[in-house]
């Protein structure tokens, strides 16, 4: 009989397990996505995202305060405009809902909290695509870049410390960096959704922002194909070359191989977005009593960190942070 190797020795007590744990999860590594809706008189719950709301500006500020108090790393804003049009002008209007909300958060926190703005047109276009359309109905990449540049400037001017382009247009990071620099916003950070996959897990988010893609269309013409792995590295490298300060992989759990690849190949901070469908799956199974939702949420967020992400965007941000603190 050979002597038995006993790795279990290190698992005997909770203190030992903590001592040798390889991965940490702290509140500052979580970012809370928050929705703010124009002309809403009180916050409205989002059915497919239990516990999440379309906020008024004042309930948004209150929620951001609770996140801040729980040690959450920051918030990222998504807007729900009152009306939509073919260019998504609410995205770059100085009085657009996200710009109004950014100014309110800036008044509240100044530089004491990281406030990010998702930078895309889909919440604001009447056709639901992330860019403007050509006459054949396809998304016009380069015409869209011009509007992203305007949106970046509007968001930075309203107080966004970080802008996060999520439209997957080619050249979007370069266009935004150039625009921000020439408008004097040299310190505005770009968090690029670099490897954003055309995923079926965004359904509840589209309910939250009331987006329906015209004609039952989809985003496969611009977001990545889930069959591809190498392509994510190409996208991320281009974004870094164009000036991305931080890169993102999205969704999270089904793309941990991508997180791991990018972590190995690149030296910028990396985050992952634990998206609406991932949150909804946990919430709905937990509501049935089929899983322990709190435990599964924690396990998944740790997995994202273990794969190599520095931080995670998650609808669990405040909830998990409050539990980590208690
Ligand atoms: C696009 C955007 C989407 C999400 C974040 N930014 C939706 C999409 O690409 O269709 C999804 C986030 C989530 O599902 O939680 N502006």
């Amino acid at each position: 009989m050979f002597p038995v190797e006993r790795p279990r020795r290190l698992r005997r007590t909770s203190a030992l397990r903590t001592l040798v744990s390889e991965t940490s999860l702290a509140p500052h590594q979580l970012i809370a996505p928050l929705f703010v809706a124009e002309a809403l008189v009180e916050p409205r719950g989002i059915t497919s995202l239990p516990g999440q709301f379309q906020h008024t500006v004042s309930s948004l500020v209150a929620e951001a305060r609770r996140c801040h108090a729980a040690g959450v790393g920051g918030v990222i804003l998504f807007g729900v405009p009152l009306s939509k049009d073919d260019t998504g002008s609410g995205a770059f209007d100085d009085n657009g809902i996200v710009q109004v909300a950014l100014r309110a958060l800036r008044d509240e926190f100044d530089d004491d909290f990281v406030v990010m703005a998702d930078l895309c047109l889909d919440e604001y276009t009447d056709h639901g695509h992330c860019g403007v359309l050509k006459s054949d109905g396809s998304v016009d990449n380069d015409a869209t870049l011009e509007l992203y540049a305007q949106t970046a400037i509007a968001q930075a001017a309203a107080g966004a410390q970080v802008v996060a382009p999520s439209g997957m247009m080619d050249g979007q990071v370069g266009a935004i960096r150039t625009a921000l620099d020439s408008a004097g916003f040299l310190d505005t950070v770009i968090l690029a959704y670099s490897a954003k996959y055309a995923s079926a897990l965004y359904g509840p988010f589209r309910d939250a922002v009331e987006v329906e893609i015209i004609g039952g269309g989809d985003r496969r013409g611009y977001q990545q194909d889930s069959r591809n792995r190498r392509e994510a590295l190409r996208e991320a490298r281009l974004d870094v070359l164009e000036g991305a300060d931080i890169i993102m992989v999205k969704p999270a759990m089904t793309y941990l191989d991508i997180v791991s690849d990018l972590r190995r190949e690149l030296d910028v901070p990396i985050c992952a977005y634990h998206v609406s469908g991932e949150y909804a799956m946990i919430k709905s199974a937990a509501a049935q009593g089929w899983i322990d939702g709190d435990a599964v949420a924690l396990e998944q967020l740790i997995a994202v960190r273990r794969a190599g992400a520095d931080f995670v965007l998650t609808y669990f941000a405040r909830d998990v942070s409050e539990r980590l603190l208690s």
Side-chain angles (χ1 to χ4, degrees):
M1 249 286 275
F2 57 90
V4 174
E5 280 294 327
R6 300 195 187 277
R8 283 183 55 195
R9 236 176 246 137
L10 294 174
R11 298 183 200 133
R12 194 175 58 84
T13 70
S14 167
L16 273 169
R17 290 193 293 273
T18 300
L19 180 70
V20 300
S21 60
E22 300 172 35
T23 307
S24 63
L25 183 69
H28 75 267
Q29 293 158 337
L30 304 174
I31 300 287
L34 298 177
F35 303 99
V36 59
E38 195 169 20
L40 202 61
V41 284
E42 54 185 56
R44 185 195 294 163
I46 301 162
T47 312
S48 53
L49 288 175
Q52 304 297 314
F53 295 85
Q54 285 186 350
H55 284 288
T56 65
V57 173
S58 74
S59 74
L60 175 86
V61 172
E63 176 59 28
R65 245 189 251 125
R66 286 190 287 271
C67 289
H68 183 250
V72 167
V75 296
I76 181 163
L77 300 192
F78 296 90
V80 187
L82 199 52
S83 63
K84 310 193 185 209
D85 57 31
D86 60 348
T87 59
S89 62
F92 44 86
D93 183 334
D94 283 332
N95 293 313
I97 183 60
V98 161
Q99 279 68 258
V100 171
L102 285 166
R103 287 193 287 269
L105 292 174
R106 165 60 49 145
D107 285 348
E108 176 74 19
F109 298 108
D110 198 13
D111 275 342
D112 293 340
F113 197 35
V114 179
V115 175
M116 309 183 173
D118 181 81
L119 197 170
C120 197
L121 299 181
D122 66 318
E123 293 99 322
Y124 307 91
T125 53
D126 51 15
H127 47 73
H129 277 292
C130 297
V132 285
L133 302 184
K134 295 185 194 163
S135 51
D136 68 1
S138 64
V139 174
D140 186 336
N141 192 90
D142 295 12
T144 299
L145 296 184
E146 177 53 37
L147 302 182
Y148 285 1
Q150 284 183 44
T151 305
I153 291 172
Q155 292 177 338
Q161 295 155 350
V162 180
V163 298
S166 65
M168 289 299 281
M169 295 301 125
D170 291 337
Q172 62 183 13
V173 173
I176 289 166
R177 185 73 270 160
T178 303
L180 287 170
D181 289 354
S182 53
F185 296 109
L186 301 175
D187 290 329
T188 304
V189 171
I190 298 179
L191 187 170
Y193 287 65
S194 299
K196 177 173 178 180
Y197 284 86
S199 171
L201 290 162
Y202 305 148
F205 173 93
R206 292 185 193 158
D207 292 344
V209 293
E210 300 168 10
V211 167
E212 211 175 312
I213 305 174
I214 194 167
D218 58 46
R219 307 207 195 290
R220 291 174 194 278
Y222 39 104
Q223 297 180 348
Q224 279 186 242
D225 188 315
S226 62
R227 291 169 293 192
N228 293 350
R229 180 168 179 172
R230 285 191 308 262
E231 190 186 27
L233 190 51
R234 180 175 186 212
E235 286 282 5
R237 280 203 176 112
L238 286 170
D239 282 354
V240 172
L241 279 174
E242 290 176 29
D245 300 290
I246 304 171
I247 56 178
M248 189 202 288
V249 175
K250 177 181 174 193
M253 300 315 297
T254 31
Y255 299 91
L256 294 182
D257 53 336
I258 311 300
V259 174
S260 163
D261 287 354
L262 299 192
R263 172 70 297 151
R264 202 167 38 244
E265 299 291 335
L266 301 169
D267 55 11
V268 292
I270 292 173
C271 62
Y273 198 146
H274 189 263
V275 300
S276 58
E278 301 179 281
Y279 176 86
M281 288 194 290
I282 293 176
K283 282 292 191 183
S284 58
Q288 300 279 350
W290 293 343
I291 62 170
D292 174 343
D294 287 351
V296 173
L298 204 57
E299 184 175 337
Q300 293 199 356
L301 296 175
I302 286 172
V304 181
R305 291 265 307 132
R306 193 185 62 235
D310 298 289
F311 61 93
V312 191
L313 283 74
T314 170
Y315 301 94
F316 288 110
R318 177 161 68 84
D319 187 51
V320 165
S321 294
E322 286 170 349
R323 280 192 287 126
L324 288 172
L325 289 182
S326 67

